Amino acid sequence: MKIGFIGCGNMASAIIRGITASNKVMSKNIYVFDVYFPACEKAEKDFGVNILDNEIEIMKNSDIVFLAVKPNIISSVLKKVDNTVKEYNPLIISIAAGKTLDFLSACLKSSARIIRVMPNINAKVGEAISAYCFNELVTDEDKENVEMLLDCIGEVMCLDESSFPLFGVLGGCAPAYAYMFIDALARAGVKNGMKKDDALKIAAQTVYGSAKMILESDEHPWKLIDNVCSPGGTTIEGVTSLQADGFEKAVHNAVDKALDKDKRL
């Protein structure tokens, strides 16, 4: 299997890092192109991949092509490679935010197998949650391949495209909310006399472990909360304080506001 990348930005680099580290695809079978040549040079140096001269060469030499360019130029890229797509028929995987399957198909005169993928920033550390959807030409083998590749950067799930705006908030925006919570927890530790580095490590590892507990436990989150709360203890004191201060409402409002903003874009 040969994989091509048109665009070598942060997300493309994260995906390449995951793929090469997992040995699912050898670096010699990965091809990259970016109009910003230093990005290609960095990918070549970091991962041992091959640099090609342009988008058309990527399409010619790849079984699967990741379109990892900015959403505002994806249309021009697809129009440029239209004839090559028709001749070579690679699987096209777009990670362009907000660009639907219908939009992507409309950019091509020829029919193409297209998968739309939405990863999140945690792909950089191999702990992303990614969603994908696909057009009617995509085969079961294509789906297996995209799941295999995305599994290299974290977890992956197939979603109906209608759920992508909400996924974009829960999976795409929410890392920032989690970072805010971790930082706030650490600053509270500093306020009470702990060094920031120590407090940040404790807060981050606690959130990481708590997420792992939810993912691996069959119990409801509130059952896990109850397990930590001893009668009359410190944890229940903190939990009731968060509730009184509107913690849950603030989270709901953040999701609603972000989703409303997405609808206006």
Side-chain angles (χ1 to χ4, degrees):
M1 182 189 302
K2 295 181 179 180
I3 313 295
F5 286 81
I6 298 176
C8 280
N10 289 333
M11 190 56 69
S13 296
I15 296 171
I16 294 170
R17 180 182 296 109
I19 292 172
T20 54
S22 68
N23 292 318
K24 295 290 178 66
V25 180
M26 301 299 292
S27 57
K28 67 180 182 180
N29 292 324
I30 298 176
Y31 303 92
V32 300
F33 168 76
D34 196 298
V35 292
Y36 181 62
F37 191 68
C40 294
E41 291 181 312
K42 188 175 190 309
E44 181 184 44
K45 178 182 177 182
D46 291 348
F47 311 117
V49 297
N50 308 286
I51 301 174
L52 296 183
D53 291 335
N54 52 54
E55 301 96 332
I56 292 174
E57 289 301 312
I58 292 289
M59 289 290 175
K60 286 181 177 179
N61 288 278
S62 306
D63 303 305
I64 298 173
V65 175
F66 280 87
L67 293 179
V69 298
K70 293 185 182 302
N72 63 318
I73 66 169
I74 196 167
S75 175
S76 62
V77 170
L78 285 170
K79 290 174 181 177
K80 183 175 182 179
V81 301
D82 196 356
N83 290 333
T84 314
V85 170
K86 182 178 181 180
E87 182 178 357
Y88 290 87
N89 192 34
L91 172 64
I92 296 174
I93 299 176
S94 169
I95 63 172
K99 299 304 182 184
T100 65
L101 291 169
D102 285 344
F103 173 89
L104 297 167
S105 296
C107 293
L108 295 167
K109 294 178 182 178
S110 55
S111 298
R113 292 140 55 224
I114 302 175
I115 292 180
R116 180 184 172 194
V117 169
M118 188 177 291
N120 73 10
I121 193 172
N122 294 331
K124 289 185 174 183
V125 293
E127 293 293 348
I129 177 67
S130 301
Y132 75 94
C133 58
F134 49 88
N135 69 4
E136 67 282 358
L137 299 177
V138 167
T139 67
D140 288 341
E141 183 181 2
D142 292 333
K143 297 172 200 175
E144 291 173 5
N145 283 332
V146 77
E147 291 195 9
M148 179 270 291
L149 294 172
L150 294 177
D151 188 59
C152 298
I153 58 169
E155 296 294 324
V156 56
M157 60 194 305
C158 182
L159 278 183
D160 189 273
E161 191 170 30
S162 63
S163 296
F164 264 47
L166 183 53
F167 177 85
V169 175
L170 297 179
C173 301
Y177 311 159
Y179 303 156
M180 287 176 68
F181 175 74
I182 290 168
D183 184 71
L185 201 59
R187 289 182 187 277
V190 174
K191 178 184 175 183
N192 284 277
M194 183 173 284
K195 292 190 299 182
K196 179 63 182 292
D197 288 350
D198 291 341
L200 190 58
K201 182 175 182 179
I202 293 168
Q205 180 60 38
T206 297
V207 171
Y208 182 83
S210 300
K212 188 176 175 68
M213 179 71 80
I214 286 179
L215 289 171
E216 296 185 3
S217 172
D218 292 331
E219 296 186 317
H220 190 279
W222 268 109
K223 173 59 177 174
L224 296 175
I225 293 168
D226 289 342
N227 290 344
V228 185
C229 292
S230 301
T234 56
T235 304
I236 190 62
E237 190 73 21
V239 167
T240 54
S241 177
L242 284 171
Q243 290 176 312
D245 289 338
F247 177 78
E248 188 171 351
K249 182 179 180 181
V251 173
H252 287 190
N253 286 343
V255 171
D256 292 345
K257 291 289 186 182
L259 191 58
D260 288 343
K261 178 67 173 180
D262 180 84
K263 292 176 182 177
R264 297 195 300 271
L265 292 177

